[in-house]
Amino acid sequence: MRLDRFIGNHSEYTRTQIHRLIKSRCVRVNDILAKSPSVKIKTESDVITVDKHVIRDRGNVYLMLNKPVGYVSATVDADHPTVIDLIADNHNALTPTTFEHLPPIASLQVVGRLDIDTTGLILITNDGQWNHKVSAPNTKCQKRYRAELAQAIADDAKARFAEGMQLKGENKNTQAAELKILSPNTAEVAICEGKYHQVKRMFAATGNKVVALHRFAIGQLELDNTLAPGQYRLLDEHETNLTLT
Ligand code: URA
């Protein structure tokens, strides 16, 4: 991992401060002056110091958050509050101790994306590899949604979701999706991809309109129903692995 990234992930220094510290000869790797922010370090064995203080690996963190309507799934946004803003306010932690375990907010990434008006399970981490495994369509990690529709679901919708369909502006068909009809206007949908507005566009292709969308599971991990909208909590190791099954 790059030296500047490691320090950024495991301390409160900003990227600009880190670059200045390296330039001012305050950063050492195994007691040797670091010359460049991009130098590669071995996170398991190298000892990194800033002004003689050791920067310890704070480890990876995995959070689930119950996203409310009105928040965007991004780290920063000029127009709307983000899910990361909810994390930055420790009142939203399910238990007060959760917040103390967090690495710097700047190191957190949002796993995948939910539309501003979609609610439910969103994952947040500082582990880029895990983020990739959960989000990449080829890893076949299912995302499950409950959708409420404006009109009765078409008779052929289940078959069309299962076959895959061509969405406007896409050159490849969608991957097979499962549709479970719960009532004339509500259904559960399971998809492995995360194309832009995918569930809404799939229903639109059947002549219908999604009026409410809620994600309740990623892989085998279900949203903790004790989390009120806007609340979050840490995942344990078992739960982290459930997302990949
Ligand atoms: N599909 C959508 O249309 N919107 C979401 O937020 C997620 C999946």
Side-chain angles (χ1 to χ4, degrees), residues 6 10 16 51 67 108 147 153 172 174 209 216 219 232:
F6 178 83
H10 303 292
T16 315
D51 284 334
K67 180 190 164 308
L108 296 177
I153 297 163
K172 266 194 191 164
T174 54
K209 182 173 163 52
F216 64 94
Y232 68 90

Side-chain angles (χ1 to χ4, degrees), residues 97-110:
T97 52
T98 307
F99 188 71
E100 282 152 29
H101 290 99
L102 290 188
I105 294 293
S107 68
L108 296 177
Q109 315 166 1
V110 185

Side-chain angles (χ1 to χ4, degrees), residues 62 127 130 134 221 235-244:
Y62 308 89
D127 180 348
W130 180 73
V134 176
L221 178 72
L235 296 181
D236 62 28
E237 197 183 331
H238 171 68
E239 290 175 319
T240 309
N241 291 330
L242 282 180
T243 58
L244 305 173

Side-chain angles (χ1 to χ4, degrees), residues 113-118 145 191 195-201 213 215:
R113 215 177 323 147
L114 290 180
D115 298 335
I116 192 164
D117 55 352
T118 301
Y145 297 84
I191 55 174
K195 291 187 199 297
Y196 182 65
H197 293 330
Q198 181 161 343
V199 174
K200 292 175 186 164
R201 287 161 74 206
L213 190 62
R215 182 159 70 188

Side-chain angles (χ1 to χ4, degrees), residues 82-189:
T82 73
V83 290
I84 298 291
D85 294 334
L86 290 165
I87 305 287
D89 179 352
N90 72 6
H91 297 303
N92 294 314
L94 186 62
T95 59
T97 52
T98 307
F99 188 71
E100 282 152 29
H101 290 99
L102 290 188
I105 294 293
S107 68
L108 296 177
Q109 315 166 1
V110 185
V111 180
R113 215 177 323 147
L114 290 180
D115 298 335
I116 192 164
D117 55 352
T118 301
T119 56
L121 177 59
I122 190 119
L123 301 172
I124 293 166
T125 187
N126 59 350
D127 180 348
Q129 283 182 359
W130 180 73
N131 184 348
H132 179 72
K133 278 192 219 152
V134 176
S135 326
N138 55 3
T139 54
K140 303 276 177 211
C141 168
Q142 272 197 342
K143 322 292 182 296
R144 287 185 285 151
Y145 297 84
R146 198 162 305 116
E148 205 183 305
L149 286 307
Q151 293 158 45
I153 297 163
D155 292 341
D156 64 349
K158 195 175 161 75
R160 292 193 57 197
F161 274 52
E163 276 159 19
M165 55 177 83
Q166 173 112 40
L167 298 176
K168 258 196 203 144
E170 304 281 347
N171 40 25
K172 266 194 191 164
N173 271 12
T174 54
Q175 291 181 14
E178 281 169 36
L179 183 67
K180 187 169 151 195
I181 298 174
L182 304 176
S183 78
N185 289 56
T186 53
E188 282 180 10
V189 185

Side-chain angles (χ1 to χ4, degrees), residues 13-31:
Y13 294 116
T14 64
R15 217 171 164 82
T16 315
Q17 287 170 329
I18 296 165
H19 287 203
R20 268 199 217 119
L21 285 162
I22 293 172
K23 231 177 172 175
S24 345
R25 305 161 65 87
C26 299
V27 180
R28 290 176 173 263
V29 179
N30 301 327
D31 222 18

